[in-house]
C-alpha cells in the first residue's frame, strides 16, 4: 500500500478507479429508487460520496475526495442529458459546466503529487479535532461539500429535465459563469508561477494584486451565473438559487477564513490584508 501511495502514476490510477466505482454506485442507487428525481439524485449523490469516503479511509487520505467537487457536476448533467432533446439553454449549461469541470480537474491533476499528500486543511483539522476527526472527516470534508455542489448543479439539472428555453438574461449569466471559470484558470496559473519563483511572502501580481482570493471569487460567480441563468428562464424556480447561496456561505465562512488564518502566520500579513481586498477589488 505504501509503495502504491508513493508512486504518482499508481496513485492516479487508484483515484481514477475510486471515481469509476463511486459513479457506478451513484447510478445504481439512482436507478433503484422510485422517489422524486431530485430526492433520488440526492440519495445517489450521498451514496457515491460514501463510497469515496470509504476509499479515503482505506488510503488514509481525505484528499481522495478532492476531485469530487469538479467531477460530480458534469457526470450528473451528462447522465440527465443522455437521450434528451436539449434546448439551447441545456447545451450552454453543459458546455459551461464541462469547461469549468475540465479546467478545475486539470488543475487538481497538475498539483497532485501522490496519495501520501493530503490537503493542509484536512491535516490541520485532524490535529485540532483528535478523536473527533472521523466525524469531521465524514461530515465536514466529504458530506457538506457534496451537498453544496449538489445544490449548485441542481438548477442546471432542472433546466435540462424541463427543457427550459434560453433568453438574453440566461445567456448573459452563463457568459458570467464562463468568464468566472476562465478567471479561476488565470488565477491558478499565476499562483503556480509564483510558487516556482517565490520571492515575496505574498503573491501581489496579476489578479492576486487586486484580490486575496480571485480563485474563490471565480468559484462563487460561476455558480451564481448558473443559478441565475436558470432562474431567469423559469422565475418560479427562484428557490434553486439556494445552492449558490450555500456555496457563497461556505467560502465566506470556512474556506477564506482558514486560508487567511494560515497566511496570517507570515510577517506583513496585516499590511497585505489592508492593501488587498478579500474578494472584490472595491475600495471602501
Amino acid at each position: 500500500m505504501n509503495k502504491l501511495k508513493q508512486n504518482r502514476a499508481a496513485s492516479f490510477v487508484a483515484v481514477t478507479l475510486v471515481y469509476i466505482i463511486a459513479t457506478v454506485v451513484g447510478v445504481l442507487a439512482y436507478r433503484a429508487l422510485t422517489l422524486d428525481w431530485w430526492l433520488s439524485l440526492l440519495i445517489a449523490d450521498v451514496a457515491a460520496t460514501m463510497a469515496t469516503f470509504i476509499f479515503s479511509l482505506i488510503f488514509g487520505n481525505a484528499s481522495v475526495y478532492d476531485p469530487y467537487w469538479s467531477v460530480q457536476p458534469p457526470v450528473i448533467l451528462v447522465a440527465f442529458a443522455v437521450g434528451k432533446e436539449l434546448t439551447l439553454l441545456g447545451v450552454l449549461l453543459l458546455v459551461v459546466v464541462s469547461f469549468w469541470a475540465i479546467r478545475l480537474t486539470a488543475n487538481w491533476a497538475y498539483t497532485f503529487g501522490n496519495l501520501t499528500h493530503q490537503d493542509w486543511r484536512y491535516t490541520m483539522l485532524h490535529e485540532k479535532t483528535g478523536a473527533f476527526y472521523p466525524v469531521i472527516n465524514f461530515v465536514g470534508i466529504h458530506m457538506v461539500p457534496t451537498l453544496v455542489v449538489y445544490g449548485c448543479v441542481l438548477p442546471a439539472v432542472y433546466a435540462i429535465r424541463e427543457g427550459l428555453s434560453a433568453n438574453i438574461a440566461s445567456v448573459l449569466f452563463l457568459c458570467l459563469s464562463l468568464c468566472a471559470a476562465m478567471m479561476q484558470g488565470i488565477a491558478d496559473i499565476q499562483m503556480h508561477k509564483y510558487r516556482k519563483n517565490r520571492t515575496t511572502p505574498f503573491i501581489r501580481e496579476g489578479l492576486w494584486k487586486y484580490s486575496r482570493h480571485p480563485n474563490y471569487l471565480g468559484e462563487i460567480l460561476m455558480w451564481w451565473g448558473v443559478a441565475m441563468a436558470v432562474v431567469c428562464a423559469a422565475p418560479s424556480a427562484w428557490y434553486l438559487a439556494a445552492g449558490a447561496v450555500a456555496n457563497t456561505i461556505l467560502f465566506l465562512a470556512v474556506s477564506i477564513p482558514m486560508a487567511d488564518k494560515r497566511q496570517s502566520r507570515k510577517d506583513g500579513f496585516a499590511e497585505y490584508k489592508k492593501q488587498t481586498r478579500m474578494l472584490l477589488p472595491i475600495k471602501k
Side-chain angles (χ1 to χ4, degrees):
M1 178 66 77
N2 287 333
K3 288 185 177 180
L4 182 153
K5 291 172 65 175
Q6 293 171 3
N7 184 287
R8 189 168 190 264
S11 294
F12 262 120
V13 172
V15 172
T16 300
L17 289 175
V18 168
Y19 280 86
I20 291 174
I21 293 171
T23 299
V24 171
V25 169
V27 171
L28 292 177
Y30 183 84
R31 290 185 174 180
L33 298 168
T34 57
L35 306 169
D36 289 341
W37 68 271
W38 63 269
L39 184 55
S40 294
L41 176 59
L42 175 60
I43 295 173
D45 204 359
V46 169
T49 301
M50 291 179 69
T52 307
F53 173 70
I54 290 171
F55 281 102
S56 77
L57 295 180
I58 292 174
F59 290 114
N61 191 332
S63 279
V64 169
Y65 177 81
D66 286 351
Y68 200 96
W69 184 280
S70 58
V71 172
Q72 172 198 31
V75 169
I76 291 174
L77 285 189
V78 170
F80 277 89
V82 172
K84 294 281 293 186
E85 187 173 339
L86 296 178
T87 62
L88 175 62
L89 180 58
V91 172
L92 291 177
L93 283 165
L94 272 174
V95 170
V96 171
V97 172
S98 295
F99 174 79
W100 165 86
I102 291 171
R103 190 218 63 79
L104 190 55
T105 305
N107 185 67
W108 166 82
Y110 178 79
T111 57
F112 180 76
N114 54 49
L115 282 170
T116 63
H117 172 74
Q118 180 172 259
D119 189 292
W120 63 269
R121 291 167 294 186
Y122 307 158
T123 301
M124 180 192 71
L125 287 172
H126 195 176
E127 293 172 350
K128 285 189 172 183
T129 58
F132 294 99
Y133 177 69
V135 176
I136 299 299
N137 185 11
F138 178 70
V139 177
I141 296 176
H142 286 75
M143 202 55 63
V144 169
T146 286
L147 296 177
V148 170
V149 183
Y150 164 82
C152 287
V153 77
L154 200 61
V157 179
Y158 176 83
I160 289 174
R161 276 185 53 86
E162 298 298 318
L164 298 182
S165 298
N167 54 39
I168 294 177
S170 296
V171 174
L172 289 176
F173 273 115
L174 287 179
C175 285
L176 171 64
S177 292
L178 187 60
C179 289
M182 293 174 66
M183 180 174 71
Q184 285 181 287
I186 293 170
D188 286 339
I189 291 171
Q190 291 171 346
M191 177 58 78
H192 296 324
K193 289 182 178 179
Y194 163 76
R195 286 174 174 169
K196 285 182 179 180
N197 305 285
R198 196 188 302 257
T199 57
T200 58
F202 309 100
I203 179 171
R204 305 297 295 271
E205 298 178 353
L207 295 174
W208 301 85
K209 180 180 179 180
Y210 307 100
S211 171
R212 298 200 305 275
H213 307 283
N215 49 345
Y216 291 164
L217 174 60
E219 190 69 14
I220 291 170
L221 292 177
M222 162 68 193
W223 294 111
W224 271 110
V226 169
M228 294 310 299
V230 175
V231 170
C232 286
S236 62
W238 57 268
Y239 52 86
L240 291 174
V245 173
N247 184 58
T248 303
I249 293 173
L250 179 65
F251 279 101
L252 293 179
V254 181
S255 299
I256 291 175
M258 287 180 70
D260 279 352
K261 185 175 182 180
R262 191 186 193 208
Q263 290 284 73
S264 67
R265 301 171 185 171
K266 300 178 183 178
D267 291 335
F269 177 75
E271 185 65 20
Y272 165 67
K273 184 177 181 180
K274 182 179 178 181
Q275 295 175 351
T276 312
R277 299 303 297 267
M278 181 176 69
L279 289 175
L280 294 173
I282 301 174
K283 293 185 178 181
K284 295 180 180 178

